[in-house]
Amino acid sequence: MRLRHTTAAGSLALAMALVLAGCGGFGRSDDSGGATKDSKETVGAAPGQPDALGTVIASRDIQISNSGKVFPIKVELYQLRRSSGFVSLSVRLTRTDAPTDSSDRWQIASDFQGDTISLSFSGVTLIDRKNRKRHLVARAGDQDATPSQVKYLASSDLSTVFVAAGQSVDLYAMFGAPPDDVTAVDVVVPRVPVFENVPLA
């Protein structure tokens, strides 16, 4: 059985109130962030219909090594959405190995946190080549918070998300939007080959 998990970003108005949106030069981390919690021990459902994700615009087949096991994963990137000063990004991760009697499950945990300390989908970045800027996942709260206290506007609590063979999980992240004249960005997801020149309407 194929299950889905999408962590909702919540009210955009609330996000706008919480987010200290921003972007820094390459190598900097200037966005502030917030996290929305909707994780379960097994991959669960979330509000909304599958088509709410829009259109798949690119995919990558990768392998992730976890606890001595190697899991084949298909990463599907959905169209980026710009709205009210934010960009939302969604991906679907699917284990492509055939279901078996084995109880082996992929625990996502820190696989996509990048340089952050969050157990969330917070290591994703958008690269604006035109302005030579790197946009980080938005966050909420105190700018002086310690790394472990930062709250990101991204799928979180990924230590409690487990994916069995044949199952999928949907993850999201939100960013402060690049200038309106930026029509494409590179999407960088930890452990995944770069998605280059992704359209940004």
Side-chain angles (χ1 to χ4, degrees), residues 11-201:
S11 166
L12 185 57
L14 176 59
M16 291 176 63
L18 294 177
V19 173
L20 299 174
C23 59
F26 288 112
R28 295 185 57 196
S29 175
D30 292 339
D31 281 338
S32 16
T36 302
K37 185 187 270 188
D38 185 24
S39 297
K40 299 179 181 179
E41 181 175 279
T42 56
V43 185
Q49 300 299 317
D51 58 8
L53 292 173
T55 304
V56 174
I57 58 174
S59 66
R60 300 283 188 270
D61 290 309
I62 65 171
Q63 292 187 329
I64 289 185
S65 178
N66 187 298
S67 301
K69 300 179 178 65
V70 177
F71 301 107
I73 308 294
K74 182 176 184 178
V75 182
E76 296 175 294
L77 175 67
Y78 288 79
Q79 62 191 61
L80 301 178
R81 297 182 176 183
R82 187 199 294 264
S83 178
S84 302
F86 291 90
V87 170
S88 59
L89 176 153
S90 296
V91 299
R92 173 166 292 168
L93 310 174
T94 303
R95 274 188 59 180
T96 55
D97 47 330
T100 65
D101 294 334
S102 172
S103 60
D104 288 345
R105 296 185 299 166
W106 169 38
Q107 181 184 24
I108 296 179
S110 63
D111 283 344
F112 302 108
Q113 71 179 15
D115 294 332
T116 68
I117 303 175
S118 60
L119 295 174
S120 65
F121 195 53
S122 53
V124 186
T125 59
L126 304 181
I127 303 299
D128 169 7
R129 296 191 190 186
K130 182 176 182 179
N131 298 297
R132 297 183 57 82
K133 295 289 185 179
R134 183 176 69 159
H135 295 256
L136 308 180
V137 174
R139 64 187 188 186
D142 187 353
Q143 278 190 305
D144 297 324
T146 63
S148 62
Q149 295 174 327
V150 173
K151 302 295 183 182
Y152 292 92
L153 286 178
S155 297
S156 60
D157 293 333
L158 298 185
S159 62
T160 64
V161 178
F162 294 79
V163 186
Q167 289 186 334
S168 297
V169 58
D170 294 344
L171 305 179
Y172 86 95
M174 292 182 68
F175 305 82
D180 291 342
D181 63 349
V182 176
T183 59
V185 293
D186 292 347
V187 175
V188 182
V189 180
R191 309 183 76 165
V192 179
V194 175
F195 296 95
E196 297 184 338
N197 295 314
V198 177
L200 177 59

